[in-house]
Amino acid sequence: MRALLPLLRTGWGWGWRAGSIVAARLPGRVSAGAVPGRAMALYRTEERGQPHSPDYRVFLKNEAGHYISPFHDIPLKVDSAENLFNMVVEIPRWTNAKMEIATEEPLNPIKPDVKDGKLRYVANIFPHKGYIWNYGALPQTWEDPHQKDKSTNCCGDDDPIDVCEIGSKVLSCGEVIPVKILGTLALIDQGETDWKLIAINVNDPEASKFRDIDDVMKYKPGYLEATLNWFRLYKVPEGKPENQFAFDGEFKNKAFALEVIKSAHECWKALLMKKCDGGAINCTNVQVCDSPFHCTQEEARSLVESVSFSANKEYNKEEQVWHFLGK
């Protein structure tokens, strides 16, 4: 196993000196599609706790087998000269369980979203089944809840930026993939800006055809309209009103989306350097060496091993029902 090289600090963030494209699957099943001319570094997942239970966690490890934070330790960009970003997959396409990076827990494992002691699932709304893309987030980004976005006039939602990956493959929870950013949608959730980036896996067979948001309209007609309707309606079965959007629901192009990402990355850097109020956000990391929240590999392992889980306790899976929201 080769040792990790020293960290390289760039305008976009911190990463390893060797450019890398990363992927993750369950332990023992590590794989990734290659992009010619680039080094390959792999991330693995480690599941702890019982699936479909509130204490289920998916931790990430790097190539050397050390625990890392998918929020803070995975570089934002794959290549500083290109439109290539790392995406952490939280929710595979067609599934319903709301999984998310645990921003308030040490090393930020991926966990089920829980409300009032119950696991949360998105409804099936005709004609869709669960999430209609591979859903996840960009590492090393943070939507600051104390900073007002100039374009939406609303503050951030206190999370990494969300990504909707539109490629043909159904990915796995915890996978880390290289994506091209194509555009973005600005959801306004309870007065907060919640950006939804549109991206495609670089290793998708059709990825070369997609350069900007207009290409999604051209090569996947109806997908953006379905995306807008999905986000508009997905909380309605819970008895909540339809969601609202900035820009009247218009998708912004790649150039606009890249500026959004750049701003969120700057907010993350301020967070990791303790230059702003992070509230309950846990910034423990093993790769950002000049961060005051940096910890050793041994400390990271101790943090993971200290987490307790319910043994052999069965929890009910979601009940699969369909909603037809006719007008």
Side-chain angles (χ1 to χ4, degrees):
M1 189 73 68
R2 72 175 176 85
L4 293 178
L5 294 172
L7 290 172
L8 174 65
R9 186 169 173 175
T10 71
W12 279 92
W14 292 263
W16 296 329
R17 289 191 183 277
S20 63
I21 288 176
V22 294
R25 288 184 178 275
L26 297 180
R29 295 174 56 223
V30 182
S31 64
V35 173
R38 290 191 172 86
M40 185 72 68
L42 303 176
Y43 294 102
R44 298 192 299 257
T45 58
E46 180 179 294
E47 297 176 272
R48 290 191 167 228
Q50 296 292 323
H52 310 292
S53 70
D55 59 7
Y56 176 65
R57 297 293 183 272
V58 178
F59 287 92
L60 265 71
K61 288 182 172 182
N62 63 16
E63 185 184 25
H66 300 138
Y67 291 106
I68 61 167
S69 162
F71 188 1
H72 307 304
D73 289 322
I74 296 173
L76 169 61
K77 295 206 75 177
V78 173
D79 190 320
S80 61
E82 297 183 35
N83 175 25
L84 292 182
F85 294 81
N86 285 314
M87 171 190 175
V88 180
V89 177
E90 296 164 306
I91 306 170
R93 181 190 277 112
W94 311 135
T95 62
N96 299 73
K98 289 175 67 67
M99 302 290 291
E100 60 184 9
I101 290 173
T103 59
E104 299 181 6
E105 296 182 12
L107 297 183
N108 316 112
I110 299 173
K111 71 175 186 68
D113 188 6
V114 178
K115 185 175 183 180
D116 299 326
K118 296 181 179 179
L119 301 181
R120 299 185 67 193
Y121 299 92
V122 298
N124 296 312
I125 300 176
F126 182 84
H128 307 304
K129 167 67 175 72
Y131 286 78
I132 63 173
W133 345 257
N134 295 296
Y135 192 74
L138 292 187
Q140 297 190 343
T141 61
W142 180 54
E143 299 186 67
D144 189 343
H146 305 293
Q147 182 169 307
K148 189 169 288 188
D149 187 280
K150 294 179 181 178
S151 60
T152 65
N153 205 34
C154 294
C155 293
D157 72 345
D158 205 22
D159 283 322
I161 296 184
D162 297 321
V163 185
C164 303
E165 192 280 318
I166 66 170
S168 57
K169 186 179 179 181
V170 176
L171 302 172
S172 304
C173 180
E175 231 177 314
V176 183
I177 63 165
V179 297
K180 292 198 295 187
I181 302 299
L182 305 174
T184 189
L185 176 69
L187 175 66
I188 304 301
D189 188 358
Q190 298 180 328
E192 298 176 333
T193 305
D194 187 4
W195 293 104
K196 306 297 183 183
L197 297 171
I198 307 301
I200 189 166
N201 189 341
V202 170
N203 297 311
D204 187 88
E206 296 186 313
S208 62
K209 299 195 303 188
F210 292 85
R211 296 180 177 84
D212 214 317
I213 198 69
D214 290 343
D215 294 320
V216 183
M217 302 176 194
K218 180 178 180 181
Y219 296 111
K220 291 184 183 284
Y223 207 169
L224 293 183
E225 292 83 353
T227 295
L228 182 66
N229 285 330
W230 195 98
F231 281 118
R232 187 190 307 280
L233 299 173
Y234 81 100
K235 293 183 179 180
V236 171
E238 302 174 17
K240 296 180 180 179
E242 293 183 1
N243 278 322
Q244 303 300 311
F245 305 89
F247 319 116
D248 294 324
E250 175 192 355
F251 285 83
K252 294 297 185 178
N253 64 13
K254 178 181 74 174
F256 188 101
L258 293 180
E259 288 301 313
V260 169
I261 296 169
K262 186 175 182 180
S263 175
H265 182 57
E266 292 301 317
C267 290
W268 171 83
K269 286 197 288 186
L271 177 71
L272 263 284
M273 292 299 119
K274 212 172 183 177
K275 294 181 179 179
C276 64
D277 179 13
I281 297 289
N282 192 299
C283 298
T284 303
N285 67 86
V286 296
Q287 298 280 56
V288 188
C289 297
D290 49 353
S291 166
F293 303 102
H294 178 264
C295 74
T296 65
Q297 296 162 7
E298 291 75 20
E299 289 169 333
R301 178 172 292 278
S302 295
L303 286 171
V304 175
E305 293 176 348
S306 69
V307 178
S308 60
F309 300 97
S310 301
N312 302 320
K313 187 174 181 180
E314 293 294 329
Y315 290 87
N316 293 329
K317 297 182 181 181
E318 84 273 24
E319 180 183 4
Q320 287 286 348
V321 298
W322 291 83
H323 299 268
F324 186 89
L325 303 181
K327 293 293 184 181

